[in-house]
Amino acid sequence: MNFETEKILATLEIVTEQYLNFHLPNNENSCLEPFFWDITQKGDFSLLNLGHDRGWITLTDIDVAVKSWQALERRGYLNPDDDPGDYEDEDIISFELADERAKIYQTLADTIQKNIYNIEVFKFSQIPAYSFYVVLGQNQENNWFCFSQTVARETKLEGEIKCYNIPDLTMQSSLDSNTAKLKDEFQQIINQLQPISIYGYYGGGYDYRFNHYLVTGIANSKEKALLIALHQAGMLDIARFYEFSPEALSWRWDKDEMVNFYPKYQKINQFLTQNLSDLRMIRCSFWNRECIYVIGQTNAGDVTGIYIESDFDYNP
């Protein structure tokens, strides 16, 4: 590790006081942890490399992904370990509709395997009870296609982390004729799979639903196609970081805590903006868990910053 980076990381450990308290609305208490990405050992910082390193991305195959997409909508609720009896009063799709959708999914899988090369299928899972799947691959024109299911997201940010200038994570506007034609062919199949309402059951009758459907990202690189698809899927936000907001976080503090925490967060904001460039917030959601990275670059080109892991509270 570069000496300058060592100094920055050591100071981050001090200013966060080894896990300074952080609290998102309706979430359990969490904390700020120093984060460092060693480029020399782990390669360039990217979402794929991060997920592999952290263990929440694993390789699988397209049949597993398709079966998982179907199994989710057949049962109608998120956690496969739940008791089916808890959902007897919920609207579950009929066997006939499930079989009809299975044929459409198979058509999609066949079309992908016929027209897409270098296929990679990833399982994303940060908690045992929830996982989702994406399919990546290239066409003959070397454009990358990414197919993802939508992702359950329990928590909303309400100003605790102020950001701006969200990058454009939309499909590239100019596609060659073959890529555009293939995009339309895939979309015609996907349009036959109307959204299915999925119930996220928690004890105590907590009622959370989200619409399960497929989205597509297309770009000239694998990483960007993945980012586009996951942003559309509701799993990913990337934005320019401005500051942690003590005012937004203060709803949980009493007067004495306010006097204590406010200057600490101001000190963190000042340190980050003075010592790191290209500050970004990368927010990855896994149903009831948030994984948030506030990172930037040192003068030596290393990636460092703060990591926050926060779990939704079933009974806030």
Side-chain angles (χ1 to χ4, degrees):
M1 185 189 303
N2 178 274
F3 178 66
E4 179 189 356
T5 304
E6 285 185 356
K7 287 171 51 179
I8 290 174
L9 195 56
T11 307
L12 278 174
E13 290 174 351
I14 294 172
V15 297
T16 58
E17 294 186 349
Q18 294 187 348
Y19 313 115
L20 177 64
N21 189 350
F22 183 87
H23 197 99
L24 292 173
N26 299 320
N27 275 40
E28 299 172 357
N29 281 321
S30 53
C31 53
L32 276 61
E33 304 176 27
F35 174 81
F36 170 65
W37 182 265
D38 192 332
I39 294 176
T40 59
Q41 293 185 8
K42 300 178 180 179
D44 292 338
F45 182 85
S46 68
L47 186 68
L48 274 175
N49 286 344
L50 176 67
H52 286 305
D53 179 71
R54 292 275 171 155
W56 39 260
I57 293 180
T58 54
L59 275 169
T60 183
D61 60 61
I62 193 168
D63 290 336
V64 173
V66 170
K67 287 178 181 177
S68 176
W69 295 339
Q70 294 179 66
L72 174 61
E73 57 192 42
R74 282 176 184 267
R75 68 175 180 267
Y77 54 89
L78 285 169
N79 189 349
D81 296 326
D82 281 352
D83 182 354
D86 292 335
Y87 303 94
E88 290 179 351
D89 295 331
E90 296 301 318
D91 294 329
I92 307 298
I93 64 172
S94 66
F95 291 116
E96 292 79 12
L97 179 56
D99 290 342
E100 180 182 333
R101 290 174 69 90
K103 295 176 183 177
I104 300 170
Y105 275 117
Q106 190 58 55
T107 299
L108 176 63
D110 291 343
T111 306
I112 291 173
Q113 293 176 96
K114 179 182 176 181
N115 295 278
I116 299 295
Y117 310 92
N118 300 322
I119 293 174
E120 294 179 291
V121 183
F122 297 112
K123 175 184 177 181
F124 284 67
S125 183
Q126 228 280 342
I127 57 175
Y130 181 70
S131 58
F132 68 92
Y133 293 80
V134 303
V135 178
L136 274 159
Q138 287 177 290
N139 67 351
Q140 289 183 333
E141 287 68 35
N142 294 321
N143 286 305
W144 285 87
F145 283 70
C146 182
F147 305 88
S148 174
Q149 66 187 101
T150 50
V151 176
R153 175 177 275 187
E154 199 67 64
T155 300
K156 295 181 180 179
L157 298 184
E158 299 180 359
E160 298 81 10
I161 303 175
K162 291 186 177 180
C163 299
Y164 65 99
N165 291 343
I166 296 177
D168 183 16
L169 291 177
T170 57
M171 222 86 74
Q172 58 192 59
S173 56
S174 58
L175 297 173
D176 62 83
S177 59
N178 289 335
T179 300
K181 182 179 179 181
L182 186 56
K183 170 183 174 289
D184 291 342
E185 183 177 353
F186 284 130
Q187 195 58 51
Q188 287 175 15
I189 300 171
I190 291 172
N191 287 345
Q192 299 176 57
L193 296 164
Q194 293 298 308
I196 298 291
S197 180
I198 303 296
Y199 187 56
Y201 174 82
Y202 287 123
Y206 183 82
D207 189 8
Y208 168 74
R209 288 184 177 274
F210 85 106
N211 285 328
H212 165 70
Y213 55 94
L214 299 183
V215 298
T216 307
I218 304 174
N220 55 12
S221 74
K222 177 166 65 173
E223 179 76 8
K224 187 173 182 182
L226 177 70
L227 297 183
I228 292 170
L230 292 184
H231 180 67
Q232 292 185 57
M235 180 267 191
L236 177 70
D237 288 324
I238 300 177
R240 298 289 181 188
F241 173 79
Y242 178 65
E243 67 174 5
F244 290 106
S245 173
E247 291 84 0
L249 290 162
S250 65
W251 67 274
R252 183 79 176 193
W253 306 333
D254 58 31
K255 290 184 179 180
D256 291 335
E257 288 175 324
M258 184 70 172
V259 172
N260 187 31
F261 281 115
Y262 193 94
K264 292 179 180 178
Y265 271 97
Q266 294 293 66
K267 189 174 183 179
I268 290 171
N269 288 331
Q270 184 179 22
F271 181 80
L272 291 173
T273 55
Q274 289 181 350
N275 291 276
L276 299 175
S277 61
D278 191 26
L279 279 167
R280 292 165 288 161
M281 180 201 71
I282 300 174
R283 177 192 175 199
C284 302
S285 300
F286 300 85
W287 182 21
N288 58 5
R289 175 166 293 175
E290 296 285 337
C291 298
I292 300 172
Y293 300 82
V294 174
I295 58 172
Q297 283 193 330
T298 67
N299 289 334
D302 293 318
V303 177
T304 189
I306 288 172
Y307 172 63
I308 304 164
E309 185 174 296
S310 184
D311 289 334
F312 184 81
D313 188 349
Y314 302 161
N315 296 291

